[in-house]
Each structure stands twice: as structure tokens, then as C-alpha cells.
Amino acid sequence: IPLSSGMILLTWQKIAPTALLYQISPSLNMEILIMLAILSTLLGGWGGLNQTQMRKILAYSSIAHMGWTVIIALINPNLTILSLMIYIMTTLTLFMTLNLSSTTKIKSISNLWNKSTPMTMIVFLTLLSLGGLPPLTGFMPKWLILQELIINNNPTMAIIMALSALLNLFFYMRIIYVSSLTMFPTNNSLKHHWFFTQTKTTNIIPTLTTISSMLLPLTPILIIIT
């Protein structure tokens, strides 16, 4: 499917079921939620390991992130909304950047160096944020969810979820490693073009990049709110 359609499926389409999950959270069964969360994180992690298409990788990443969103719905529903909001912002940033540069495969990310170095760095930062690597924004919901699980006497679940997150971080790091360290740009010229033609999309991307990578210092405020 086109990148724009994939972006809608992985962002907008999640709002309605998550809103329903939030409303019925007091009547949910904890054992079922735990089982679904573990299956989602493991399936999303293992499924993305052998993929080369960015759309498939992001699809499996979406499955894994829903595991994090689901497991905290009964304990702290506000964290469910926070996790979804950060995921949507980060995914929008990545999809807009990939759509602007017409990038659909891991191999083609290495060619981004010839088009725009800043665009390549945005892709790398967003991928690391999706993987939950500190000190980027994506680490915030995982940190808060793990903290809530430990507070509610679920240290085993916290350990399992943390280890499953390493699977996602691994294939994100593999993308960065392959595209930046093992594939030299095919263009013979070493001159990089730093800007695309200005459009409304390119004006939005810097704002979304800031949100998806630099909100970790706001964690104490969000702890008070949630």
C-alpha cells in the first residue's frame, strides 16, 4: 500500500479502539491483558527481525507498541492514552519523512544521504525513539509503564516487557547500521544536498521531530498528570 495509507492505518485507525479500551478498562480481565500484551510484543519483535520493507517493519512495530498500550490499560488508563499519543507523533514523523523522500526499503535509506543529510538523521532519530532508546521521547511511556508494573507488584511482567522491547530496538539499530555503516551512498559526488523544496509537509516535520525526540525532560510533569 502507499505510505500515506499505511500512515493512516497505523495512527488514525488506532484512536477508536484505544478510546473503547480506555472506557471499558475497569471491567477488563488482567490475565487476558497480560497474555495479549506479551503475545503482541513478542510477535511484533520477532516478526520485524527478517523484514527489509519499511512498511512491514513499521507494521510489526505497531503490533509491539499495542502490547505496551494494552498492558497498562487496567492499572493506569491515562498511560494508555499517553503511550498512544507519543506513538502516533513518532510514527507520523517517520512516515512523512519516508513519503517525502519516497523511501520504502532499508537499502534506499542509505541513498538518502545523497538527497538530504538532515532527512536521514530525522529517520534515524525517529527509529531510535520508536525503539524506546533513552534519552529520546519514546523511552518515556516505556519507563512509566515499567514503573507502574513494578509499583503494582508485577516485576516479572516488567522484566518480560523490557526484554521484548530489545527485539524492536535491535531491528531499528540494524536499519541504522546497514544504511549508515555498511552501505556507502551510490552517488560518486560527496556533496550533500541539505534541503528539499519547501512545502507544508517539510514545515511540519521539524515540529514533529522535536516532539518525537525531545520530550523526555517533561516526564516529571506527566507523572503528576497521570
Side-chain angles (χ1 to χ4, degrees):
I1 62 174
L3 286 170
S4 56
S5 300
M7 179 177 65
I8 294 174
L9 285 174
L10 297 185
T11 55
W12 176 260
Q13 294 296 327
K14 289 183 180 293
I15 296 178
T18 306
L20 181 62
L21 185 68
Y22 180 85
Q23 292 177 352
I24 66 174
S25 58
S27 60
L28 295 175
N29 185 281
M30 188 63 182
E31 287 75 18
I32 295 178
L33 286 180
I34 290 175
M35 181 183 67
L36 292 176
I38 293 177
L39 289 176
S40 294
T41 52
L42 292 178
L43 177 62
W46 285 108
L49 289 177
N50 61 344
Q51 301 298 328
T52 58
Q53 291 277 349
M54 288 300 299
R55 285 165 292 193
K56 292 182 180 180
I57 290 174
L58 293 175
Y60 280 110
S61 172
S62 173
I63 296 173
H65 277 85
M66 282 308 296
W68 286 88
T69 302
V70 165
I71 197 171
I72 202 63
L74 184 60
I75 299 174
N76 192 338
N78 291 331
L79 279 182
T80 298
I81 303 300
L82 175 64
S83 178
L84 179 66
M85 289 175 58
I86 292 178
Y87 169 77
I88 288 177
M89 290 297 178
T90 310
T91 304
L92 282 175
T93 306
L94 186 56
F95 265 100
M96 285 184 177
T97 307
L98 295 177
N99 190 40
L100 187 63
S101 58
S102 301
T103 303
T104 57
K105 297 182 180 180
I106 295 178
K107 182 178 179 180
S108 57
I109 294 181
S110 63
N111 297 327
L112 265 181
W113 292 106
N114 298 318
K115 296 180 180 180
S116 175
T117 302
M119 283 291 178
T120 310
M121 298 308 299
I122 289 174
V123 171
F124 290 171
L125 275 176
T126 310
L127 286 173
L128 293 176
S129 184
L130 273 176
L133 186 71
L136 302 176
T137 303
F139 176 66
M140 181 199 302
K142 290 183 172 61
W143 181 15
L144 296 178
I145 290 172
L146 292 176
Q147 183 179 14
E148 286 293 325
L149 290 174
I150 294 174
I151 291 175
N152 287 272
N153 298 320
N154 288 309
T156 304
M157 282 306 307
I159 293 173
I160 294 174
M161 295 297 290
L163 292 176
S164 65
L166 295 178
L167 294 173
N168 293 85
L169 186 59
F170 173 78
F171 62 71
Y172 292 138
M173 293 295 293
R174 184 191 64 177
I175 294 172
I176 297 174
Y177 174 77
V178 170
S179 57
S180 62
L181 298 180
T182 64
M183 291 183 181
F184 191 79
T186 56
N187 192 346
N188 293 327
S189 174
L190 295 179
K191 182 179 180 180
H192 297 297
H193 302 284
W194 285 79
F195 297 102
F196 280 103
T197 302
Q198 289 293 324
T199 63
K200 291 183 178 180
T201 304
T202 56
N203 292 331
I204 296 174
I205 289 178
T207 303
L208 290 176
T209 303
T210 303
I211 294 174
S212 62
S213 59
M214 301 180 183
L215 292 187
L216 190 62
L218 297 180
T219 302
I221 299 175
L222 294 174
I223 290 176
I224 295 175
I225 295 175
T226 55

